[in-house]
Amino acid sequence: QVQLVESGGDLVQPGGSLRLSCAASGFTFINYDMSWYRQAPGKERELVAIIREGGTLNYANSVKGRFSISRDNAKATVYLQMNSLKPEDTAVYYCNAKTYYPRIQDYWGQGTQVTVSS
């Protein structure tokens, strides 16, 4: 069975840092693009960062320069290092895996809560 299990969410003060982890199992991790999304109440789910199977990186403008996505293919784990956190970063953060060959497959984790507040 496919599993994506997020961890690392916490309550943190503005300016602080967190590292989220997503442990994957049940599929061939190296063939998948891995992404982090987030969603706050009343807002649409937003793509935060993506690291493709070939290693290319892209970030939402709102997190450029503050967040960094990485992957460890040997551990089948993707990370999101979050620095200089702001209250507007508060959301549930979701891990996503997607591949296109031999057909499109798209998997989601259950999410981890990040709260940035004084």
Side-chain angles (χ1 to χ4, degrees):
Q1 61 179 353
V2 170
Q3 289 191 351
L4 295 172
V5 181
E6 300 98 334
S7 62
D10 206 351
L11 171 65
V12 64
Q13 295 185 75
S17 297
L18 285 173
R19 189 177 78 155
L20 306 184
S21 298
C22 173
S25 60
F27 61 96
T28 306
F29 184 82
I30 58 172
N31 293 332
Y32 282 69
D33 299 336
M34 300 299 300
S35 301
W36 288 96
Y37 288 74
R38 67 187 182 187
Q39 187 169 27
K43 297 183 179 179
E44 290 192 1
R45 189 169 297 189
E46 170 192 24
L47 176 65
V48 175
I50 183 169
I51 181 165
R52 299 191 181 276
E53 59 159 325
T56 57
L57 308 171
N58 283 285
Y59 298 92
N61 287 335
S62 59
V63 308
K64 285 180 180 176
R66 300 188 297 120
F67 291 11
S68 179
I69 189 171
S70 61
R71 65 192 292 163
D72 185 336
N73 288 334
K75 295 181 178 179
T77 300
V78 63
Y79 305 94
L80 186 68
Q81 178 66 47
M82 305 186 294
N83 299 323
S84 302
L85 283 161
K86 304 174 180 179
E88 50 263 47
D89 295 319
T90 296
V92 178
Y93 284 71
Y94 297 92
C95 181
N96 171 263
K98 188 170 185 177
T99 192
Y100 298 88
Y101 181 85
R103 70 177 193 88
I104 295 175
Q105 298 182 84
D106 198 2
Y107 305 126
W108 293 90
Q110 291 187 335
T112 185
Q113 177 71 50
V114 172
T115 302
V116 184
S117 177
S118 299

